[in-house]
C-alpha cells in the first residue's frame, strides 16, 4: 500500500499559532535577549518562522540530536550529532523543537544545556504528543497538542521525505 498524507493542521492554522507564540515569547522576554537553539533538522522550518515574529533581540544556534534514525519511533539512544557553535553561559536559552513525544531527548538536552551555564532553559515545540510521554519534560510553549499519529510536514519527515509540506499531515499506509 502506498503512503498517503492526510492534513491534520492546515498551513493557515500553523501560521496563526506561530504568530501567537511569537507574541507570547516576546512578552515573556521583554527587556531581555533570547538565544534560540534549533534542533535540526525538523525544527529549522518552525524556528525560522518563529524568529521572524519575536520582537526582542534574538541570536541563534543549532544542534542535531538523534534518537530516531529512519525509524518511526525513538530508539531511546540519544546522540548529539552536531553541537553548538558558541557558548551559552549566562544566556536566556529557548530550545526550539519540531515535536516532543517520549520527552527523553529534550529531558537529556535540557540537562546538558543547564550544565553549560545557561541563565535559563525553556522549551518551545510546534507539536506535542503528551500521550507518548515517557519522562516528565516541561514544555513552556506549545503550538499544538496532537494525537499519537505519525506526522510530517513543516520540517517533520518520514525517512527524509515530506519536510517541505506547508502543513502538518498524518502519514497513512506505512
Amino acid at each position: 500500500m502506498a503512503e498517503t498524507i492526510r492534513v491534520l493542521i492546515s498551513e493557515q492554522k500553523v501560521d496563526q499559532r506561530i504568530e501567537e507564540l511569537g507574541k507570547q515569547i516576546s512578552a515573556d522576554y521583554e527587556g531581555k535577549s533570547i538565544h534560540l537553539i534549533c534542533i535540526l533538522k525538523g525544527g529549522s522550518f518552525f524556528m525560522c518562522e518563529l524568529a521572524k515574529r519575536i520582537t526582542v533581540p534574538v541570536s541563534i544556534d543549532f544542534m542535531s540530536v538523534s534518537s530516531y534514525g529512519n525509524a518511526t519511533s525513538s530508539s531511546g539512544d540519544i546522540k548529539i550529532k552536531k553541537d553548538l557553535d558558541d557558548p551559552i553561559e549566562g544566556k536566556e536559552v529557548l530550545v526550539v523543537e519540531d515535536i516532543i513525544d517520549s520527552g527523553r531527548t529534550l529531558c537529556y538536552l535540557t540537562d546538558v544545556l543547564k550544565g553549560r551555564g545557561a541563565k535559563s532553559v525553556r522549551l518551545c515545540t510546534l507539536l506535542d504528543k503528551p500521550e507518548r510521554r515517557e519522562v516528565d519534560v516541561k514544555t513552556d510553549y506549545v503550538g499544538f497538542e496532537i494525537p499519537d499519529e505519525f506526522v510530517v510536514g513543516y520540517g517533520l519527515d518520514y525517512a527524509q521525505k515530506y519536510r517541505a509540506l506547508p502543513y502538518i499531515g498524518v502519514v497513512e499506509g506505512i
Side-chain angles (χ1 to χ4, degrees):
M1 179 175 169
E3 56 210 40
T4 59
I5 309 298
R6 173 176 47 87
V7 176
L8 181 66
I9 306 169
S10 71
E11 180 178 5
Q12 180 182 10
K13 285 184 180 175
V14 171
D15 191 55
Q16 178 182 355
R17 184 64 183 132
I18 293 172
E19 180 75 31
E20 293 167 0
L21 287 170
K23 286 179 182 174
Q24 183 182 357
I25 292 165
S26 298
D28 291 351
Y29 284 92
E30 188 173 342
K32 301 176 183 176
S33 296
I34 184 173
H35 189 68
L36 303 180
I37 297 177
C38 174
I39 306 305
L40 296 171
K41 297 175 184 170
S44 60
F45 288 71
F46 176 43
M47 191 204 62
C48 289
E49 292 302 316
L50 182 65
K52 292 190 293 188
R53 292 163 171 88
I54 296 174
T55 58
V56 299
V58 169
S59 58
I60 63 171
D61 206 340
F62 300 88
M63 290 185 88
S64 180
V65 184
S66 177
S67 65
Y68 280 80
N70 283 336
T72 59
S73 62
S74 174
S75 68
D77 184 22
I78 300 163
K79 294 181 177 79
I80 294 177
K81 295 169 64 177
K82 186 242 178 270
D83 210 336
L84 299 173
D85 292 331
D86 298 311
I88 58 167
E89 190 170 341
K91 293 183 178 181
E92 304 276 359
V93 169
L94 181 62
V95 177
V96 180
E97 177 67 292
D98 54 1
I99 190 167
I100 301 174
D101 58 31
S102 75
R104 286 188 293 226
T105 300
L106 284 190
C107 185
Y108 169 81
L109 198 54
T110 299
D111 289 344
V112 167
L113 297 173
K114 285 178 180 175
R116 293 181 183 182
K119 185 173 182 177
S120 69
V121 177
R122 292 184 182 177
L123 302 178
C124 179
T125 187
L126 179 59
L127 304 173
D128 188 11
K129 285 186 187 179
E131 64 189 83
R132 297 259 310 158
R133 201 72 83 242
E134 294 176 12
V135 297
D136 189 31
V137 61
K138 181 182 184 294
T139 52
D140 301 279
Y141 306 98
V142 175
F144 301 92
E145 278 193 12
I146 62 169
D148 185 16
E149 297 183 283
F150 193 78
V151 292
V152 295
Y154 222 90
L156 293 111
D157 74 301
Y158 170 58
Q160 298 298 326
K161 298 188 294 187
Y162 308 118
R163 280 192 201 280
L165 295 174
Y167 56 85
I168 305 299
V170 176
V171 180
E172 297 177 333
I174 57 170

